[in-house]
Amino acid sequence: WHPEILDDASLISNGATALFRIDKCGNLIWFNNEQFFHHSVMLDQNKDIWASGTFKPDSNFVSQFKRSKDFMDDGIFKLDVETGKILFQKSIIELLFQNNILNSQDIFDENIDPIHVNDIEPIKKDGPYWKKDDLFISIRNQSAIILYRPSTNKILKYIKGPFFMQHDVDVISDKEISIFNNNNSLDDKNKFSEILIYNFESNSYKKKFNESLIANNFKTT
């Protein structure tokens, strides 16, 4: 799933369980199953790994709440590329509470997978709206994008836009990001998937390749 190939042709990936690195001949370099890793594997400018995953057991913060035994406490994890050891980890639910975006326990009653991190985009150089080492995080089941600064534990921007169950986030200029909008609302089967460009300067959106996506009946589940 989402393999990341390094300059030496070694490969980092996960099987929606453990994270691992193999060399170019397929020999195992390291294996980490401390957490339930899934979705994206990305490298930052320091060649550290950022991976999404689910805490097992739940993080200390989430464990204090009453919740289903199947509840998924999704978070982000930074790992050393040479050893696979976890250098930093953060529950997204804890992060949202600490930044006053969540202030109710309702999230623990809604469903077992309220967050669902599906992409982490490390920012590799400073810009007018972010700094190197900041992260864009896509949380699908909140239909939201987070601009997060790990060094201060601050959410700089919480983006809830005209998208639903989005996925990939990419920095495409010093003031713009692209967002893949799955746009797969169950109550509107006529919607097509979209590529949205969000501009931080104008706080506005535009669509890219929309005519082609519609012409090719492009939809995602």
Side-chain angles (χ1 to χ4, degrees):
W1 290 33
H2 199 292
E4 182 74 29
I5 300 174
L6 307 184
D7 292 339
D8 63 357
S10 64
L11 180 147
I12 300 168
S13 188
N14 70 74
T17 50
L19 200 67
F20 60 88
R21 179 179 175 187
I22 56 176
D23 68 18
K24 63 184 178 181
C25 298
N27 300 306
L28 186 65
I29 298 175
W30 53 256
F31 178 90
N32 187 320
N33 66 347
E34 294 176 54
Q35 307 293 352
F36 192 96
F37 297 103
H38 54 72
H39 286 89
S40 66
V41 178
M42 302 291 287
L43 294 179
D44 62 19
Q45 77 284 350
N46 302 314
K47 302 299 183 184
D48 290 320
I49 303 163
W50 285 96
S52 52
T54 305
F55 280 85
K56 58 170 195 179
D58 291 340
S59 63
N60 290 336
F61 180 82
V62 169
S63 63
Q64 66 183 300
F65 296 95
K66 184 178 180 180
R67 67 218 175 279
S68 164
K69 64 180 178 61
D70 298 317
F71 187 86
M72 299 179 71
D73 179 15
D74 261 18
I76 58 173
F77 302 88
K78 181 180 179 180
L79 299 94
D80 180 82
V81 71
E82 299 298 333
T83 65
K85 291 183 178 179
I86 295 175
L87 305 174
F88 172 87
Q89 59 187 20
K90 189 69 180 181
S91 164
I92 295 299
I93 291 177
E94 179 181 24
L95 178 64
L96 295 176
F97 269 91
Q98 290 173 334
N99 283 267
N100 299 313
I101 293 169
L102 287 179
N103 53 23
S104 166
Q105 298 186 29
D106 291 347
I107 195 168
F108 298 100
D109 301 321
E110 292 175 355
N111 59 59
I112 64 169
D113 186 18
I115 298 298
H116 199 98
V117 178
N118 60 18
D119 188 47
I120 305 169
E121 180 74 10
I123 297 174
K124 298 182 179 180
K125 61 181 181 179
D126 291 348
Y129 299 97
W130 50 72
K131 293 188 179 297
K132 183 179 66 174
D133 297 327
D134 290 349
L135 303 171
F136 281 109
I137 306 168
S138 170
I139 51 176
R140 188 195 73 178
N141 289 356
Q142 295 295 312
S143 293
I145 303 292
I146 298 171
L147 174 55
Y148 173 52
R149 183 162 294 165
S151 62
T152 60
N153 196 45
K154 296 298 183 183
I155 292 178
L156 305 179
K157 197 170 184 67
Y158 187 72
I159 304 170
K160 293 277 285 187
F163 47 79
F164 185 78
M165 291 210 166
Q166 79 296 325
H167 205 121
D168 186 35
V169 183
D170 289 299
V171 176
I172 61 172
S173 76
D174 65 356
K175 60 183 179 183
E176 292 176 311
I177 59 172
S178 67
I179 302 166
F180 180 70
N181 179 20
N182 282 296
N183 209 13
N184 59 351
S185 173
L186 298 177
D187 59 5
D188 188 349
K189 298 183 183 301
N190 295 317
K191 287 187 176 180
F192 294 85
S193 299
E194 299 174 329
I195 297 172
L196 299 177
I197 310 299
Y198 175 66
N199 187 301
F200 277 72
E201 186 176 65
S202 62
N203 192 31
S204 63
Y205 295 85
K206 64 182 179 182
K207 297 179 182 180
K208 195 154 182 82
F209 309 125
N210 209 49
E211 291 182 3
S212 297
L213 293 172
I214 293 173
N216 286 280
N217 194 32
F218 193 91
K219 303 177 182 180
T220 52
T221 56

